[in-house]
Amino acid sequence: MKQRLLVIVLLLAAAAMVGALFLAPRLNRTTVLSGYVEGEPLYLAAPVSGAVAEIRVQRGDRVKAGDRLFVVDPKQLNAQREQAQAEVGAAEAQAQDARKGLRPLELAVYDANIAAAEARARDAAADMRRVQPLVRRGIYAPARLDDVRAALQTANAQLVAARRQRDAAALGAREGQVQAADSRVAQALAGLSAAEARLSDLAPVAPSDARVEDVFFQKGEWAIANQPILSLLPDDRIKLRFFVPEQSLSAYRIGATVRFACDGCAKGLSARITFVSPRPEFTPPVIYSREARDRLVYMVEARPSARLNPGQPVDVTPLGAAR
């Protein structure tokens, strides 16, 4: 009897141990989602090759939006801007000249032509008055009167033409020529704007609050066009990446807020979801969790409410448990 009781006790003890080994992992399973902090650097370069004239920041510095970061030697682009400014001045002068018409000295030539035409018209009129009575008296033949009348008409026509030439000279260029001059001004201004934009690209500013992640060139070094001179890690390009099981994915929507924690961070941190992957994947090796290993999950990205360091592991409270 005692042996039977002993056997029963041993069986019950063994069953209890098996149950404990089977249920303990489930009872102690964490109620958080594993993730990490990811940062997207911003690489800044100059559009032209040149020597680095200034480096105003160092690695690890904090910069604000609008802060100057570096300057590439602007001599070449300064010359291009000055040339563009000269072209603008020349085009504007031509446009003004097209509207003004001829200068006073040039108009004086037309005035002299008018005076000469008036003198010829007066002489022709005097000849007409002198010849006409003599023809009536028969001293001159009628043909002489026809010649004098024709000379008067010619002189009057030349006078009208001289006055109209004077008026046309005072008007300036034709409308089409004025429009063409205005177009040249607009083209020159566009060239000046492009030169000034290229010049400003030689001294870029921080687009937002950020931390200087690395500086690749120092003062005096030659930088090739479009080669990054330094990299920034903007505050608005730091995000959380965590992984949600397939059965819980429906609770995570863009714009929703999740709570998370990390070592050394303040309490009560939150992040707004900005992306939910449409494709499943196996838990990446960067997540060191025996329970989550080889589990099919969906990646979710969220914008944190506080600045964090890339690579830092975080624990995200599931949305169901956050309430």
Side-chain angles (χ1 to χ4, degrees):
M1 185 69 179
K2 291 182 178 180
Q3 292 180 350
R4 182 178 297 178
L5 291 175
L6 180 61
V7 171
I8 294 174
V9 171
L10 291 176
L11 290 174
L12 291 175
M17 292 180 63
V18 172
L21 292 174
F22 179 74
L23 295 176
R26 297 196 175 189
L27 294 175
N28 296 328
R29 181 176 295 175
T30 179
T31 58
V32 297
L33 302 174
S34 298
Y36 57 93
V37 180
E38 178 73 12
E40 295 180 351
L42 184 65
Y43 297 95
L44 299 181
V48 297
S49 301
V52 179
E54 293 182 36
I55 291 289
R56 301 186 179 184
V57 294
Q58 296 180 354
R59 184 169 59 181
D61 287 352
R62 289 284 301 170
V63 295
K64 295 182 178 180
D67 287 351
R68 294 285 182 181
L69 303 174
F70 62 86
V71 178
V72 175
D73 188 4
K75 291 181 181 178
Q76 180 180 358
L77 291 186
N78 274 334
Q80 294 179 3
R81 181 182 63 178
E82 292 174 358
Q83 180 181 359
Q85 289 175 339
E87 292 176 354
V88 169
E92 290 178 344
Q94 291 177 355
Q96 293 176 358
D97 185 67
R99 287 180 169 84
K100 289 179 179 178
L102 299 181
R103 293 172 295 179
L105 290 178
E106 294 172 328
L107 293 177
V109 175
Y110 289 93
D111 292 336
N113 292 335
I114 292 174
E118 290 176 343
R120 288 192 295 271
R122 287 194 297 270
D123 290 342
D127 289 342
M128 183 69 179
R129 289 191 298 270
R130 185 178 63 255
V131 170
Q132 190 171 15
L134 295 177
V135 171
R136 290 176 181 173
R137 293 166 56 185
I139 298 176
Y140 289 146
R144 178 68 180 273
L145 180 61
D146 293 339
D147 293 340
V148 172
R149 185 179 291 111
L152 178 59
Q153 291 175 350
T154 301
N156 288 333
Q158 291 175 350
L159 177 59
V160 172
R163 288 173 177 172
R164 290 183 177 177
Q165 289 175 353
R166 171 62 170 79
D167 294 339
L171 291 176
R174 294 188 298 272
E175 182 178 356
Q177 293 175 330
V178 173
Q179 291 178 353
D182 292 339
S183 298
R184 286 192 291 270
V185 172
Q187 182 179 4
L189 288 173
L192 177 59
S193 298
E196 291 177 343
R198 289 193 298 270
L199 190 61
S200 65
D201 289 340
L202 296 181
V205 299
S208 61
D209 294 351
R211 184 185 67 193
V212 180
E213 187 179 40
D214 205 350
V215 177
F216 307 117
F217 288 87
Q218 298 301 322
K219 181 179 179 180
E221 294 182 332
W222 184 267
I224 301 176
N226 300 319
Q227 183 173 2
I229 294 178
L230 56 81
S231 64
L232 297 178
L233 189 58
D235 295 346
D236 55 3
R237 299 185 68 162
I238 295 178
K239 56 192 175 183
L240 301 184
R241 278 185 178 174
F242 59 96
F243 299 86
V244 178
E246 184 177 8
Q247 62 271 20
S248 304
L249 182 64
S250 60
Y252 295 84
R253 293 287 184 269
I254 295 177
T257 301
V258 295
R259 299 185 181 277
F260 69 96
C262 54
D263 295 337
C265 301
K267 295 183 178 181
L269 296 179
S270 62
R272 184 177 59 85
I273 296 176
T274 58
F275 173 75
V276 178
S277 175
R279 293 180 294 273
E281 59 183 292
F282 287 104
T283 305
V286 72
I287 304 299
Y288 298 101
S289 171
R290 182 176 297 275
E291 291 80 8
R293 186 173 57 190
D294 294 337
R295 188 172 61 186
L296 198 62
V297 294
Y298 288 80
M299 184 186 70
V300 177
E301 294 181 351
R303 188 83 63 194
S305 58
R307 179 177 175 83
L308 303 172
N309 294 319
Q312 188 174 4
V314 296
D315 294 327
V316 179
T317 304
L319 286 180
R323 298 183 178 86

